Amino acid sequence: MKWIGRRQSDNVEDRRGMSSGGKTIVGGGIIGIIILLLNVFGGENGQMLAPILEQMNQGQSAPTEQRELSVEEKKLAEFPKTVFADTEDIWGQIFSENNMTYKNPGMVLFTGAVETACGGASSASGPFYCPGDQKVYMDLDFFNELQTKFGAKGGDFAVAYVIAHEVGHHVQNLLGTSNKMREMQGGKSETEANKLSVALELQADFYAGVWAKYNQENLDIDDIDEALSAAQAVGDDAIQSKMQGHIVPESFTHGTSEQRKFWFMKGYKTGDIKQGDTFAGLE
């Protein structure tokens, strides 16, 4: 991706040199384990539910410490800040084209653990969006894991795809889709509720594709392949196969690798936010 020397977002908070104070997300006993699983596998729903359980958790308080970031660490932040600036510009344009006003989210870079309006989270949860404070949270070490553990290709656009996906959840929050989905989950079985969660995640992939379409002038020839490789790596079937040796479709919350690639490419090919009704195909 062509990004060096371009505008960087002012809406990025870098907490990588700061230890997380207050209760940790993973304390002793079964409650801590449940909270961690909600964050890792529960998507946005897990981020909303985890704080409720966290009140029951007996995590230990820790003093907040801060250290100076190295030159290399500061430089590492330049790319996500540039990508985030692109999401601000492009979604501002798309909303304007549809007679709406876009509100920029924030982004927090962290290491290890972080406190959010949706509760505490560890780096094990991967990048996520918290609707409570309208911020995207990212531990940049996640992208090394994406390559080494899950086989995604290297390349900066894998990072861009993940950021764009999380910003897609912000778009859903602004449009009211997230709240509507949670209302639809009320009274549903776990399997049916999971299908709605999958639809929400696939739509975020679609929005990431729309963003890439609008950002074509800054893309390199291999960027879309890098995004598809990342989508392949984070499919529920790919993760479950890698982590437990078999898949359980009823437990999927994000969609299969093929679904995630399909919806990203549909967004990229159409560039039309009206073509992203992932809920219409639910059985």
Side-chain angles (χ1 to χ4, degrees):
M1 182 176 170
K2 304 176 182 68
W3 66 274
I4 295 175
R6 296 176 49 230
R7 184 179 81 84
Q8 298 178 15
S9 174
D10 294 325
N11 296 309
V12 179
E13 181 182 351
D14 200 334
R15 299 186 196 170
R16 287 177 297 162
M18 185 183 303
S19 63
S20 179
K23 288 185 178 179
T24 56
I25 187 65
V26 183
I30 190 65
I31 295 296
I33 296 172
I34 293 172
I35 294 171
L36 177 61
L37 291 176
L38 280 171
N39 278 280
V40 175
F41 298 111
E44 181 182 329
N45 298 319
Q47 295 297 334
M48 296 299 291
L49 289 172
I52 299 173
L53 289 174
E54 188 184 8
Q55 294 177 6
M56 303 167 59
N57 195 20
Q58 298 300 313
Q60 298 298 314
S61 295
T64 299
E65 297 179 358
Q66 189 163 7
R67 63 171 176 81
E68 181 69 22
L69 295 177
S70 68
V71 174
E72 292 76 13
E73 286 174 318
K74 291 178 181 178
K75 192 162 188 64
L76 189 62
E78 293 178 0
F79 178 71
K81 286 181 179 180
T82 304
V83 172
F84 209 60
D86 283 348
T87 68
E88 294 167 348
D89 295 340
I90 288 171
W91 281 110
Q93 177 185 347
I94 293 173
F95 268 53
S96 178
E97 290 172 353
N98 289 274
N99 299 311
M100 299 182 293
T101 301
Y102 183 67
K103 179 182 177 182
N104 290 334
M107 182 163 71
V108 176
L109 305 179
F110 72 96
T111 301
V114 68
E115 291 295 325
T116 83
C118 298
S122 74
S123 57
S125 53
F128 63 93
Y129 171 72
C130 173
D133 53 23
Q134 298 190 3
K135 292 180 180 180
V136 172
Y137 289 84
M138 299 186 66
D139 184 336
L140 297 181
D141 288 341
F142 166 78
F143 298 102
N144 292 327
E145 299 270 320
L146 202 60
Q147 289 179 249
T148 58
K149 286 191 176 180
F150 299 102
K153 290 182 179 179
D156 54 19
F157 205 73
V159 180
Y161 155 71
V162 173
I163 293 174
H165 171 92
E166 298 306 334
V167 171
H169 285 310
H170 178 64
V171 172
Q172 292 170 323
N173 190 35
L174 294 180
L175 295 178
T177 309
S178 303
N179 285 335
K180 183 178 180 181
M181 186 276 292
R182 284 191 288 273
E183 291 173 0
M184 292 169 65
Q185 286 181 317
K188 295 284 196 303
S189 67
E190 182 179 356
T191 299
E192 293 302 312
N194 283 345
K195 288 181 179 180
L196 290 166
S197 178
V198 167
L200 193 77
E201 295 295 333
L202 294 179
Q203 189 178 68
D205 282 328
F206 171 83
Y207 287 149
V210 171
W211 169 80
K213 176 73 170 181
Y214 273 73
N215 205 27
Q216 282 186 94
E217 65 181 32
N218 294 313
L219 302 191
D220 294 322
I221 190 169
D222 294 328
D223 282 345
I224 298 302
D225 285 341
E226 291 172 9
L228 292 175
S229 177
Q232 170 75 30
V234 295
D236 283 323
D237 52 344
I239 292 176
Q240 288 189 1
S241 180
K242 175 76 71 173
M243 301 301 291
Q244 62 192 31
H246 64 280
I247 63 172
V248 184
E250 295 81 9
S251 68
F252 289 174
T253 58
H254 286 64
T256 66
S257 296
E258 290 305 314
Q259 287 175 318
R260 301 197 71 166
K261 291 190 292 184
F262 172 83
W263 282 103
F264 174 84
M265 285 306 299
K266 184 171 183 179
Y268 181 68
K269 290 175 180 177
T270 66
D272 181 2
I273 62 171
K274 297 182 177 66
Q275 301 297 314
D277 187 0
T278 53
F279 294 87
L282 292 178
E283 298 177 359

